[in-house]
Amino acid sequence: MILAIATLAFYLIKTAPEPKAELIQTKPVIVTVVQVETRDIRPMRIVSGRLQAATKLGLHFEVGGRIKSRQVEPGQRIKAGELLLVLEAGDYRDGVVDAQALLDQERAAIERDRRLLSIAQQNTDLQAGEVKRLERLSSNSLAAQSLLDESRKQLLQLSAEQESLSFSVNSAQSRIALRESALRRAKRNQARTRLTAPFDSIINRVDAHVGDFVTTAQVVIEVLEQGKLDLAVEVDGNTASALMLQQSVTVTIKDTINDRVLDGEIVALQHDPDSETFTHAVRIRLTDQQLLPGTLASTTLPLLAQENVLVVPVTAVLHEAGAAHVFKVVGKHENTLHPESLPSTRAGGTLQRLAVNVGIRDGDRQVISGQINAGDIIVSRDVAALSDGQTITLLP
């Protein structure tokens, strides 16, 4: 029985008829279309960023020393010139005393040299007269040559002493200037033991405590300028070319409840783009005492106006392999397909894939150019699955 069943099954398989392929007609894809139009546009670009302090300054002492007192804490608002930190100033006060004492000594020494110079001039004149008298006596053999030589020697010594005193008196002004400069430097160093605010500030960070020894290279306090913040954003080349310094723009401050709109001013515009992102850095200055760094904000930047340009919906453009295309509807209904007056029954046609150049985007509209004209009918959305020459049906 098993052998009979197997034989029967083998016979049925061998004698079974060959399957026939049935052609199934593909249904046309239903698409939504729109008419290409021309218009004048004033595109806007919305970019976001975070607020930064307009001026952030790290303060350090210009002299080294040990912290004696700390007058401020982070978050504190201070006025320009207010005291922040104080160093122990004993050594610097002594430096001022030393410089003052050396200056006084120099002045006294100069007065002494002036008096000695006057005396030396009188001695030299007297000795010169003595030499002349001995020379007359020696010529008459009334004085010994040795006395004349000794007198001349004393005259030379007095002349040398007078020259030395004369140099001291003539260079007095230079020596006084050096001593006065040293005194002023010592006073400045003494004043540098007190660190003060350079402008109206908010203390952001304090990195020194009482008793710490600090050096001139060590940042001890970081301050932020009060009421002035910058919105830092990155824009593309088209946006950067439409901006200028001192241009007024609006900035929206993001809030969990209500957004705030403030007036800002462009204070910095980078002309040479970043080598990696090819974007231009822009800083917009805001003035508001309530704003804090790090707050999320956005700004609307106007671009250059364009007249009589072709625009289509952004969703109508297919971006593929670095190129842009649109799908134009062609066929017997090509001249009667108008989105405003489509027939009550579905009209059909085929698609033609056209390469286009993409310009500026204005909201949900895209500026294009290329193998397309005003009035052409194109597919308005869901273009990723379409192909050239495909049969379509239009939505009524």
Side-chain angles (χ1 to χ4, degrees):
M1 291 179 63
I2 294 173
L3 181 60
I5 293 172
T7 303
L8 180 61
F10 179 78
Y11 173 76
L12 293 175
I13 293 172
K14 283 294 187 180
T15 58
E18 292 291 334
K20 295 182 179 179
E22 296 183 5
L23 297 178
I24 300 176
Q25 185 176 5
T26 303
K27 294 182 179 180
V29 177
I30 301 175
V31 297
T32 304
V33 296
V34 68
Q35 185 176 13
V36 179
E37 58 181 358
T38 60
R39 65 169 63 171
D40 298 336
I41 63 171
R42 176 71 176 182
M44 309 293 287
R45 183 79 75 234
I46 299 177
V47 291
S48 300
R50 293 193 178 273
L51 298 182
Q52 301 176 358
T55 303
K56 180 188 291 186
L57 189 61
L59 304 180
H60 58 85
F61 284 99
E62 295 182 66
V63 294
R66 198 171 300 279
I67 300 295
K68 180 181 179 181
S69 66
R70 169 172 164 167
Q71 306 293 327
V72 293
E73 296 298 332
Q76 186 174 342
R77 292 176 179 267
I78 57 175
K79 296 294 184 180
E82 285 191 30
L83 189 61
L84 307 178
L85 293 173
V86 179
L87 294 178
E88 294 178 355
D91 292 342
Y92 298 102
R93 283 195 299 269
D94 292 343
V96 173
V97 173
D98 292 346
Q100 183 66 60
L102 291 173
L103 176 60
D104 294 340
Q105 288 178 358
E106 193 66 48
R107 285 172 175 167
I110 291 171
E111 290 300 322
R112 179 204 62 193
D113 290 345
R114 286 192 177 123
R115 291 192 298 269
L116 291 176
L117 177 60
S118 178
I119 295 173
Q121 287 175 345
Q122 294 176 13
N123 288 336
T124 302
D125 293 340
L126 292 174
Q127 188 63 31
E130 179 67 14
V131 169
K132 290 180 179 180
R133 187 180 66 84
L134 290 175
E135 286 177 347
R136 287 194 302 269
L137 293 175
S138 176
S139 63
N140 296 326
S141 300
L142 297 176
Q145 184 65 36
S146 60
L147 290 176
L148 177 59
D149 294 339
E150 185 65 25
S151 181
R152 287 174 175 171
K153 181 178 180 182
Q154 290 179 3
L155 178 60
L156 290 175
Q157 290 175 349
L158 290 174
S159 298
E161 182 180 354
Q162 179 183 350
E163 188 65 28
S164 176
L165 292 172
S166 178
F167 172 79
S168 176
V169 172
N170 292 335
S171 62
Q173 281 301 116
S174 298
R175 299 205 308 278
I176 289 293
L178 289 174
R179 294 302 182 185
E180 289 177 343
S181 175
L183 177 60
R184 290 193 299 268
R185 189 181 304 110
K187 289 181 177 179
R188 286 197 300 271
N189 286 338
Q190 182 182 2
R192 288 164 180 163
T193 60
R194 299 166 63 86
L195 189 62
T196 58
F199 43 73
D200 293 351
S201 313
I202 301 175
I203 303 299
N204 191 49
R205 195 176 74 242
V206 181
D207 295 331
H209 303 273
V210 175
D212 290 348
F213 184 87
V214 297
T215 64
T216 57
Q218 180 179 349
V219 175
V220 292
I221 289 183
E222 186 179 75
V223 297
L224 310 177
E225 188 173 6
Q226 290 186 25
K228 292 184 178 180
L229 293 99
D230 289 346
L231 173 60
V233 296
E234 302 284 337
V235 300
D236 56 24
N238 290 331
T239 305
S241 63
L243 303 177
M244 64 182 65
L245 293 177
Q246 284 76 52
Q247 180 178 345
S248 297
V249 295
T250 58
V251 177
T252 302
I253 308 299
K254 301 298 182 180
D255 193 281
T256 55
I257 300 176
N258 295 317
D259 293 343
R260 298 171 55 199
V261 179
L262 302 175
D263 292 329
E265 180 183 358
I266 297 177
V267 296
L269 175 60
Q270 182 186 17
H271 282 268
D272 188 22
D274 184 87
S275 59
E276 295 182 359
T277 62
F278 294 100
T279 57
H280 301 256
V282 179
R283 284 196 294 115
I284 303 171
R285 179 68 47 82
L286 301 173
T287 302
D288 193 296
Q289 295 291 339
Q290 299 178 355
L291 295 178
L292 292 176
T295 303
L296 184 63
S298 64
T299 181
T300 303
L301 303 176
L303 304 186
L304 297 176
Q306 298 193 18
E307 299 179 354
N308 198 29
V309 292
L310 296 177
V311 294
V312 297
V314 173
T315 55
V317 182
L318 174 64
H319 296 275
E320 187 177 67
H325 299 83
V326 295
F327 288 94
K328 176 182 175 182
V329 178
V330 297
K332 61 182 179 179
H333 301 291
E334 181 179 359
N335 297 325
T336 61
L337 296 177
H338 297 284
E340 298 84 358
S341 57
L342 288 175
S344 57
T345 58
R346 293 180 178 177
T350 58
L351 297 179
Q352 181 181 6
R353 176 167 167 161
L354 301 177
V356 293
N357 300 316
V358 176
I360 294 177
R361 175 174 173 174
D362 182 24
D364 62 349
R365 295 289 171 175
Q366 179 70 61
V367 175
I368 63 171
S369 62
Q371 304 173 7
I372 198 75
N373 299 307
D376 288 346
I377 304 300
I378 63 172
V379 179
S380 62
R381 58 185 177 89
D382 302 326
V383 295
L386 302 180
S387 59
D388 189 32
Q390 187 174 3
T391 303
I392 53 94
T393 299
L394 306 183
L395 281 177

